[in-house]
Every structure is written in C-alpha cells, then in structure tokens.
Amino acid sequence: MFSRERKSTNEQIVEKVLLEKYNSFYRMAISYTHNEADAADIVQEGAYRAIRNCKDLKNTEFASTWVYRIMMNEIYRAVSKNRPDSLDQMEEYQEEGKSDTYEDTDLRRGLDSMDPEDKAVIELKYFEELKLKEIAEILGENENTVKSRLYRGLRKLRVDLEAEGYDR
C-alpha cells in the first residue's frame, strides 16, 4: 500500500474513532479540568494531533487505543500546564472561571484527590467500560501495573468515602 493510500485509510479510521468516542474523550477531559471550555480545547487539540499523525498508526485494529492514548497525553499536558502552584494562584484560577461546573460530590472529590494515573484507570474501567488490557494499551503500561493501580485506587477511594461518612 502506498504511503498516500495508507494515510487516507488511516485518516478515515481515525476520524471514525473520533466521532464515535467524542463523548468519552470529552468526559475524560472534563473529569480532569472541571471546565467545559478547557475540556473542549483538549479534545480538539487531541483530535488535531490524531489526524495530523494518522500516518504513524501502524495497525488499524488498535486505532481506538491509539487515539485514547493521544487524548490522555493531551489531558495530562493540559492539566500539568494549568495546575496552580500556590494557594494564591488557586484563588486566581477559580476567579477566572476554572472552578468545577458540577456539584461537589464525595465521589468527585475522592477521584480528584487521586494520582492522575490511578484516576485514569478507574475512569476508563468504570465510566468508559474498557477492559484492563485496553487500559494497559492506552496508558502504555503492563496489565499487572494497571490492575495494581485499579485496586490501590479503589481502596483509597473507599477509605476516602468512608472518612467522609459515605455509606453504601
């Protein structure tokens, strides 16, 4: 297959994944940013990068995983770039409208207190209903590492929720 044909086929496949999984990508982004505009920017930038680099997709069977990985990298990049370093910056950050647009629930606070990698595993597993093997591919980690992150994260979440007085 010629390079141009491959790019065209890959581009079509990547565009299909982006359209089918847009809501999932957006939910993941908003769960980290708590801001609709920032989440939309992240997904837009991730989509741009995926389409721009679609020629690098070697196996089209893994297109969905490949795009998820791009989106997660984009989320991590945006979160680390925008994270306030001090209490004063946090107040400015919230005044600029970057505060949570959702109700402040115990579960959300528990998830937000987690390491980004542990949070990603839980959200991909329970909110996006992905298998551990798919999550491992998306995050570029060993499946056993993903299992450990999942169980450690769930244990931390349970402890945090119990400390907040949450009963099942």
Side-chain angles (χ1 to χ4, degrees):
M1 186 183 289
F2 293 105
S3 177
R4 185 175 305 181
E5 290 176 17
R6 178 178 178 175
K7 182 181 182 212
S8 176
T9 302
N10 283 3
E11 190 170 322
Q12 291 171 350
I13 292 168
V14 167
E15 286 175 359
K16 183 179 178 194
V17 168
L18 288 166
L19 290 172
E20 288 175 355
K21 305 279 187 179
Y22 177 85
N23 289 336
S24 296
F25 300 142
Y26 181 76
R27 278 193 307 270
M28 286 296 293
I30 208 159
S31 75
Y32 282 83
T33 63
H34 306 289
N35 182 285
E36 293 175 6
D38 289 346
D41 288 346
I42 288 168
V43 174
Q44 182 177 1
E45 182 64 25
Y48 169 74
R49 287 177 190 264
I51 291 170
R52 186 183 72 197
N53 296 315
C54 67
K55 66 187 176 305
D56 297 337
L57 176 61
K58 292 174 180 56
N59 189 341
T60 57
E61 291 177 31
F62 300 113
S64 181
T65 302
W66 185 79
V67 175
Y68 256 114
R69 186 177 225 170
I70 289 171
M71 289 295 174
M72 291 305 299
N73 287 338
E74 200 57 40
I75 289 168
Y76 293 150
R77 185 180 357 268
V79 169
S80 66
K81 180 176 74 172
N82 293 331
R83 180 167 286 159
D85 294 326
S86 70
L87 187 56
D88 292 336
Q89 287 177 330
M90 175 63 100
E91 289 169 2
E92 290 172 19
Y93 185 77
Q94 289 175 339
E95 288 171 11
E96 292 173 4
K98 301 205 187 270
S99 61
D100 197 346
T101 59
Y102 294 105
E103 283 185 38
D104 213 14
T105 65
D106 293 335
L107 178 59
R108 179 55 50 204
R109 280 194 305 267
L111 284 169
D112 288 344
S113 70
M114 301 177 85
D115 292 332
E117 295 84 5
D118 293 346
K119 177 180 175 181
V121 170
I122 289 174
E123 289 188 344
L124 290 169
K125 173 72 175 152
Y126 293 105
F127 299 141
E128 303 305 324
E129 300 177 353
L130 297 177
K131 295 179 176 148
L132 291 175
K133 183 176 183 178
E134 293 171 311
I135 296 168
E137 291 170 2
I138 290 168
L139 299 178
E141 294 181 346
N142 180 300
E143 192 172 344
N144 289 329
T145 302
V146 169
K147 286 179 188 176
S148 295
R149 286 186 184 282
L150 177 64
Y151 298 126
R152 180 179 57 236
L154 289 174
R155 199 172 322 121
K156 181 184 182 325
L157 195 55
R158 185 179 306 117
V159 168
D160 289 350
L161 290 174
E162 286 173 355
E164 294 286 326
Y166 175 80
D167 288 329
R168 294 179 203 200

